[in-house]
Amino acid sequence: MDRFFEMTARGTTPRTEILAGIATYLTMVYIVVVNPSIMAAAGIDPGAAFVATCLAAAIGSALMGLLANFPIALAPGMGLNAYFAFAVVGGMGISWQVALGAVFLSGFLFFLVSVLKIREWLVNGIPLSLKLGIAAGIGFFLGLIGLRGMGVVVANPATLVGLGPLSATSTLIACAGFLLIAGLAARNVPGAIVLGIIGTAAIGLPFGLTEFKGIVSAPPSLAPTFLQMDIAGAIGVGLVGIVFTFFLVDLLDNTGTLIATTHRSGLMNKDGTVPRLGRALMADSGGAMMGAALGTSTTVSYIESAAGIQAGGRTGLTALTVAGLFLLTLFLAPLATSIPGFATAPALVFVACLMAKGLQDLAWDDTTEYLPAILTALAMPFTFSIATGIGLGFITYALVKTLAGRAGEVHGAVWLLAALSAIKFAVM
């Protein structure tokens, strides 16, 4: 085991790796509660979605640990799950089976790009400002959904959106839940999000808003979602734009997470490159395809892995520990399905705030950089479409740079993506 995981070479021990895995798990286990509730909005059986979430996280994390030997865990990605449920299924009227087919195709495309070495051209070609704008925009999109789930934001025929009835009991409890998560996070309490979710749900018990179903039981059936993805349907209805959006966000999200975590753990090469990047991205793409087959949205590397790295995790044994813990979580389905929507919504808003932090790194003294990034971020929630925000961002970046007399700064990848986005908008 020491030779396989290179523990001595990386200055770590099995005990340290296992404790690091526990730390990572505690920071991301909230996904087993939040993701099923989002998948349920798409019409997917919540019990099956719970099992799919646990298995996708376990398989993805195991692949990362065994193939790349990185202390990075995977699970269905926040933001992409909301895009899946609310924009693709809810907004476009596409069945969840076809949407899962699109997720599988995006994972397969991600795999091909990783194998064919095209990823460097794409990743290096997209400017940092647009990467930051996309991440923040997904956060804003998630925040809008969370605020709506809390009852803070409601539809308004005069102003599009408005303030909801704050006197509603569920809304007041949800607001208290958000403050609870924020307070725990500010005190650096491990598992702040999941503790906040459980605490919020518990407050709803005496008001009859939370139905306690127990803690431990055999896992629910996966049959309602297992291999229900409709790949032929995804190809037949022409979901090229949706597949591309899943692919692009997955690529950018995973690459950014790998760069950040390997740098923090000291595993990055001196020239700034990531060792075994190809293996890591293949683990990511494999996890995405497996997740679609199981019945959940795109699986991605989790930035919460930084918690385990902070605790000393340096090898794939950390990721394998996370995988094992998610398998154990399969038996906590009653507790997970007891959590009502008003208790998970505050977590969405909190995650949205975390995702917006990257905007501080924009080049605020350069209009051609920050303006397209901000437009990208704003367009996602206001058009209720991650794909639209990404497309407008690439088009604006290319045109603003050109109008500023700096067209030479626009990489070929950006021109390609801008042209494809313009064609898509023209034929909509």
Side-chain angles (χ1 to χ4, degrees), residues 115-136:
V115 171
L116 298 176
K117 309 297 184 183
I118 304 173
R119 65 181 182 275
E120 288 87 353
W121 184 76
L122 279 172
V123 172
N124 295 334
I126 299 173
L128 176 62
S129 58
L130 283 183
K131 293 176 183 175
L132 296 173
I134 290 171

Side-chain angles (χ1 to χ4, degrees), residues 245-296:
T245 299
F246 279 128
F247 160 74
L248 183 61
V249 175
D250 195 13
L251 177 68
L252 295 178
D253 186 277
N254 282 309
T255 303
T257 298
L258 288 169
I259 290 173
T261 51
T262 54
H263 178 267
R264 188 165 183 174
S265 63
L267 297 176
M268 181 178 285
N269 295 325
K270 292 183 179 180
D271 60 359
T273 59
V274 178
R276 297 181 298 282
L277 177 62
R279 291 188 179 187
L281 292 181
M282 281 190 281
D284 278 316
S285 59
M289 289 187 284
M290 287 298 299
L294 292 167
T296 187

